[in-house]
Amino acid sequence: MNRWKMIPVAMALAAVAPAQAESVDERIAASQEAIQEFAQTLQGHLMEAMQEGGPTEAISVCRQVAPQIAEDISAETGWSVGRTSLKLRNPDNAPDAWEREVLEHFEARHAEGVPASELAYHETVQEDGEEMFRLMRAIPTGGLCLTCHGSEPSGDIQHALEQMYPEDQAIGYSEGDVRGAFTIIQRM
Ligand code: HEC
């Protein structure tokens, strides 16, 4: 498993091979920025909706706003930017084979005691004869997330989730778990 060089985000920014230093370094930094923007924008909308309309209102925000932010940032950067997970709420967020492998590796590393906030991975891969830079960063489950992803969602929330996501698998998480990951694909 040598190919899995799992590196915390801060180290990933510092440690790069000299020949490709600039481009890989820049791609990592720009990806981290896009992820930061995604996370902050979504968190802002989520908290506002929770405060103003309560959790059931926030569910519709997640449903509409999360894919919209992903689309906006993808349009802005020209990359593919999204969220994925091994236990999905929305099947549209399903991982591809590469993403699944990285998510499984994140889980294994987390089981060994690495905090979810430190799990990131990037690789340049060939896909259909094209070179792609791919990066994923794990999303930790925070306290706020448990309202809708924890073991015991309240009656109202459970009901709303069942209506909208009959195949929902994204419950039963505890604080600190790897909820999923941000995923970025850049054509090179
Ligand atoms: C108000 C309820 C609610 C809260 C709180 C919430 N989520 Fe979600 N989450 C959802 C809904 C609804 C979806 C499905 C969105 C969609 O349709 O794309 C979702 C989807 C996701 C996904 C995409 C993968 C999938 O399962 O489809 C991730 C990752 C995720 N949530 C992480 C989090 C994290 C991390 C937090 C805490 C910061 C959080 N969520 C808080 C309702 C919530």
Side-chain angles (χ1 to χ4, degrees), residues 43 46 50 55 58-59 62-63 66-67 83-85 87-91 93 139-142 144-145 147-149 161 165 170 179-181:
Q43 177 115 350
L46 194 58
M50 295 274 263
I59 292 174
C62 274
R63 186 183 175 85
R83 295 188 305 168
T84 187
S85 177
K87 292 202 296 170
L88 293 165
R89 176 149 292 161
N90 185 341
N93 298 323
I139 306 175
T141 308
L144 169 75
C145 320
T147 318
C148 301
H149 295 293
L161 288 173
Y165 302 96
R179 169 60 192 96

Side-chain angles (χ1 to χ4, degrees), residues 1 4 33 43 71 74 76 117 127 139 165 172:
M1 288 297 271
W4 292 110
E33 240 172 73
Q43 177 115 350
E71 215 174 283
S74 299
E76 207 177 287
S117 58
E127 274 171 25
I139 306 175
Y165 302 96

Side-chain angles (χ1 to χ4, degrees), residues 2 51 69 117 137:
N2 255 353
Q51 274 158 18
I69 297 171
S117 58
R137 181 166 135 194

Side-chain angles (χ1 to χ4, degrees), residues 46-119:
L46 194 58
M47 286 175 59
E48 198 182 289
M50 295 274 263
Q51 274 158 18
E52 282 172 16
T56 43
E57 166 75 19
I59 292 174
S60 351
V61 168
C62 274
R63 186 183 175 85
Q64 279 147 23
V65 172
Q68 188 59 52
I69 297 171
E71 215 174 283
D72 289 351
I73 298 179
S74 299
E76 207 177 287
T77 54
W79 313 328
S80 156
V81 178
R83 295 188 305 168
T84 187
S85 177
L86 290 172
K87 292 202 296 170
L88 293 165
R89 176 149 292 161
N90 185 341
D92 290 350
N93 298 323
D96 68 12
W98 188 87
E99 287 165 335
R100 175 171 294 280
E101 218 184 320
V102 175
L103 285 167
E104 280 166 358
H105 198 74
F106 283 172
E107 283 298 343
R109 295 278 301 177
H110 185 58
E112 288 165 12
V114 181
S117 58
E118 288 178 15
L119 293 168

